[in-house]
């Protein structure tokens, strides 16, 4: 597992869905399953758009940087280096117009309705949005739940672009996307290194209405393109049409090498398959080990997997996924259900002393169980301690040296036992929920609010996403 992970992170590197690196990662996954003696194939789907960042630049040009005229003269080389700020484009964000954009910066604080009203006119301006340092899972969820409303307000007020203050310290850059359906976002956006964004905010406050920046973000857009999920399989001996999925996403952002998110857990899924295969035992039901792509663009790969396998979902007994780095596993999030807990506790009894048998009943968006959950399949998402996940989240520092291999080995054993136990027990872990039951679950867990905030509500209501009404 350690060597597999080294190859994926250090040799393949960051792997954005649709990129050549992603194709190499798929080859890595296929080869690793084969080496483990596990049957493997890939399943294709179409990614609507590809995206890549080129040279993103942000420079203060007024009131104390180089004059605006110098830029329009094409004398960009005259730029004073010290007014250049560290910046990364938002994933799946549109490019700025050729040559970039020179505009006034308007500070909109944390971007609430009130903040926008206070900020005044911002037509053609670049808005700067503040953030706090993320230290908890709740903070991380807010990094996704806050932007849709802010983007809407910025667009409504005629802003030309958005600068997000980084939520990680020490000028660390990271990549976000606020586009959760694989389409290019409405307006150019970039994350500005936290200290640089604070400097910009202070400058705006010292020279209200007079600070102009040059934002050049020549992002490359392409596609559509065919992408793949990698599927390893151990076939059940007497109930082969009943399945348990153990999955993790293989894709990542590319400022770092996607070690915590989510290379370590892609390697874990392969290791769990290898370990089960190596026992020589065969479970009653089929276990599928799936490495999804497109997760970072809005769980597109797992959505496509669910769509392609809709006919089998009545007999899918569980979907298990790991997507939170290497923090100690405390149990599973059961996706708004209590009916699956007793069976799961029994499955994990052998590892009771690990303290990983304490489950929660929450349901949320954010990783590959999402569409399985909305289809009524029992889902289990590993609940993990934060450990070093948040300071390195989607950042240049998400590299192999952050991975605690000992912890990862324990998790591989836990994941293997979970998948094996559910696949091999006499009774199904839980039934597939009906649409009526899901409507109640979505409401009771507050998932309805998330679906509305993130723009999934109409698709859920119509049955385009999730179990048909
Ligand atoms: Zn992830």
């Amino acid at each position: 597992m350690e060597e597999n992970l080294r190859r994926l992170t250090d040799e393949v590197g960051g792997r954005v869905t649709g990129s050549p690196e992603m194709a190499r990662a798929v080859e890595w996954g296929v080869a690793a399953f084969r080496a483990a003696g596990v049957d493997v194939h890939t399943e294709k789907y179409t990614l609507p758009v590809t995206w890549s960042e080129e040279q993103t630049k942000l420079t203060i040009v007024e009131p104390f940087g180089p004059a605006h005229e110098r830029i329009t003269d094409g004398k960009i080389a005259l730029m004073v280096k010290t007014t250049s700020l560290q910046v990364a484009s938002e994933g799946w964000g549109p490019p700025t117009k050729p040559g970039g954009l020179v505009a006034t910066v308007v500070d909109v604080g944390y971007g609430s309705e009130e903040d926008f009203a206070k900020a005044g006119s911002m037509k053609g301006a670049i808005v700067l949005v503040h953030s706090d340092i993320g230290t908890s899972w709740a903070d991380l969820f807010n990094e996704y739940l806050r932007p849709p409303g802010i983007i809407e307000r910025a667009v409504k007020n005629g802003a030309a672009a958005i600068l997000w203050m980084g939520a990680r310290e020490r000028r660390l850059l990271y990549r976000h996307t606020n586009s959760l359906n694989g389409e290019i976002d409405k307006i150019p956006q970039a994350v500005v290194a936290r200290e640089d964004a604070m400097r910009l905010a202070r400058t705006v406050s010292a020279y209200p209405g007079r600070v102009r920046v040059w934002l050049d973000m020549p992002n490359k857009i392409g596609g559509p393109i065919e992408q793949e999920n990698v599927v390893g399989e151990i076939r059940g001996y007497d109930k082969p049409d009943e399945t348990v999925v153990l999955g993790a996403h293989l894709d990542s952002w590319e400022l770092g090498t996607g070690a915590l998110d989510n290379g370590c857990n892609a390697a874990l899924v392969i290791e769990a398959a290898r370990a089960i295969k190596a026992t020589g035992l065969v479970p009653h039901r089929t276990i599928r080990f799936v490495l999804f792509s497109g997760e970072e663009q809005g769980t597109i790969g797992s959505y496509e997997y669910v769509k392609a396998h809709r006919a089998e979902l009545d007999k899918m007994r569980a979907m298990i996924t790991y997507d939170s780095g290497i923090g100690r596993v405390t149990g599973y999030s059961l996706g708004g259900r209590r009916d699956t807990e007793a069976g799961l506790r029994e499955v994990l009894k052998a590892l009771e002393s690990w303290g990983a048998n304490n489950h929660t009943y929450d349901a949320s968006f954010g990783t590959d169980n999402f569409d399985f959950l909305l289809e009524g399949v029992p889902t289990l998402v590993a609940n993990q301690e934060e450990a070093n996940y948040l300071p390195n989240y989607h950042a240049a520092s998400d590299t192999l040296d952050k991975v605690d291999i000992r912890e990862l080995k324990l998790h591989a054993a836990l994941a293997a036992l979970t998948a094996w136990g559910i696949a091999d027990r006499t009774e199904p872990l839980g039934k597939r929920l009906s649409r009526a039951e899901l409507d109640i679950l979505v409401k009771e867990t507050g998932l309805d609010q998330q679906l509305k905030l993130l723009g999934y509500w109409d698709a859920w209501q119509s049955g385009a996403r999730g179990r048909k009404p």
Side-chain angles (χ1 to χ4, degrees):
M1 177 166 64
E2 191 167 1
E3 171 62 4
N4 273 345
L5 182 56
R6 188 195 62 76
R7 285 184 197 167
L8 179 65
T9 53
D10 286 348
E11 295 186 22
V12 176
R15 43 207 178 275
V16 176
T17 305
S19 70
E21 291 77 17
M22 186 72 234
R24 285 186 61 204
V26 167
E27 285 171 21
W28 168 91
V30 169
F33 276 121
R34 267 201 198 122
V38 175
D39 290 338
V40 60
H41 66 277
T42 66
E43 300 185 11
K44 293 181 168 53
Y45 64 92
T46 303
L47 182 77
V49 177
T50 63
W51 179 93
S52 66
E53 182 178 44
E54 304 296 304
Q55 283 275 331
T56 301
K57 292 187 210 122
L58 177 68
T59 306
I60 300 175
V61 294
E62 288 179 48
F64 55 74
H68 177 200
E69 284 69 26
R70 283 196 181 151
I71 295 165
T72 50
D73 283 351
K75 293 179 185 164
I76 288 160
L78 293 175
M79 286 278 172
V80 178
K81 182 97 165 61
T82 53
T83 59
S84 288
L85 309 179
Q86 291 266 28
V87 66
S89 172
E90 181 219 18
W92 265 247
T96 49
K97 63 180 197 294
L101 173 70
V102 176
T104 305
V105 178
V106 173
D107 189 328
V108 295
Y110 286 83
S112 70
E113 201 76 71
E114 229 179 15
D115 291 332
F116 266 83
K118 258 199 302 208
S121 167
M122 59 190 73
K123 202 157 175 49
I126 297 178
V127 298
L128 172 66
V129 184
H130 289 238
S131 72
D132 294 323
I133 296 167
T135 56
S136 68
W137 295 125
D139 293 340
L140 187 57
F141 269 91
N142 275 325
E143 283 188 30
Y144 288 96
L145 293 171
R146 280 176 65 225
I150 296 172
I151 295 165
E152 202 183 297
R153 291 190 270 283
V155 169
K156 204 174 73 191
N157 286 288
I162 301 174
L163 300 176
W164 302 97
M165 179 184 285
R168 333 249 175 273
E169 292 182 282
R170 296 171 199 279
R171 299 187 86 204
L172 188 61
L173 288 179
Y174 59 92
R175 180 104 54 221
H176 252 266
T177 184
N178 294 315
S179 162
L180 297 176
N181 56 7
E183 300 292 347
I184 295 300
D185 215 331
K186 298 183 197 76
I187 179 172
Q189 295 165 48
V191 171
V192 183
R194 182 168 188 81
E195 289 80 356
D196 290 6
M198 292 195 291
R199 176 183 172 195
L200 183 58
R202 287 192 297 270
T203 306
V204 170
S205 158
Y207 301 93
R210 289 177 54 202
V211 176
R212 288 158 72 80
V213 295
W214 174 50
L215 175 65
D216 188 21
M217 215 159 54
N219 297 336
K220 268 211 186 110
I221 314 284
I225 189 173
E226 204 162 68
Q227 289 295 285
E228 294 163 285
N229 295 319
V230 180
V231 184
E233 185 175 287
I234 294 176
R235 223 174 134 71
Y237 78 87
D238 63 348
K239 293 173 181 167
D241 56 337
E242 294 189 27
T243 53
V244 173
V245 169
L246 173 63
H249 72 88
L250 178 58
D251 65 305
S252 75
W253 290 113
E254 84 296 20
L255 294 171
T257 61
L260 292 174
D261 189 12
N262 193 30
C264 63
N265 291 315
L268 167 150
V269 165
I270 293 166
E271 181 63 10
R274 189 202 63 76
I276 291 172
K277 189 77 187 180
T279 65
L281 301 171
V282 181
H284 285 292
R285 301 183 181 86
T286 295
I287 307 175
R288 289 195 188 139
F289 304 87
V290 188
L291 305 180
F292 298 105
S293 52
E295 195 273 348
E296 298 292 4
Q297 288 70 41
T299 59
I300 293 173
S302 50
Y303 173 43
E304 294 290 344
Y305 183 91
V306 165
K307 273 201 293 185
H309 292 271
R310 255 183 182 150
E312 306 159 22
L313 296 182
D314 279 339
K315 291 189 173 179
M316 191 172 284
R317 298 307 179 207
M319 191 280 179
I320 308 153
T321 194
Y322 280 64
D323 188 15
S324 304
I326 43 79
R328 194 180 72 83
V329 173
T330 55
Y332 289 99
S333 161
L334 302 181
R337 298 177 63 157
R338 287 170 189 270
D339 61 309
T340 53
E341 189 187 9
L344 180 59
R345 288 192 60 83
E346 177 199 300
V347 161
L348 295 180
K349 212 166 174 47
L351 295 182
E352 191 70 46
S353 65
W354 288 17
N357 213 353
N358 304 303
H359 312 295
T360 60
Y361 317 109
D362 53 316
S364 77
F365 87 105
T367 190
D368 291 308
N369 74 312
F370 182 59
D371 283 280
F372 294 88
L373 190 163
L374 292 181
E375 288 282 355
V377 173
T379 72
L380 293 76
V381 181
N383 277 331
Q384 297 179 245
E385 291 173 353
E386 280 95 347
N388 58 357
Y389 194 72
L390 287 143
N392 301 298
Y393 181 71
H394 287 185
S397 59
D398 183 3
T399 46
L400 181 57
D401 43 286
K402 307 302 182 306
V403 176
D404 180 335
I405 294 291
R406 179 184 178 275
E407 201 70 52
L408 187 59
K409 286 177 180 174
L410 297 177
H411 293 171
L414 189 62
L417 180 68
T418 309
W420 171 270
I422 297 171
D424 202 51
R425 71 200 299 270
T426 314
E427 292 298 317
L429 186 67
K431 62 170 187 165
R432 185 181 180 196
L433 298 185
S434 69
R435 174 69 192 208
E437 288 165 328
L438 284 164
D439 280 326
I440 294 168
L441 182 152
V442 162
K443 208 164 168 213
E444 279 183 355
T445 55
L447 189 56
D448 56 344
Q449 292 308 315
Q450 288 185 22
L451 295 175
K452 283 171 190 167
L453 273 171
L454 298 167
Y456 292 126
W457 186 249
D458 290 344
W460 162 246
Q461 288 297 83
S462 71
R465 211 148 178 174
R467 189 149 200 190
K468 292 200 189 313

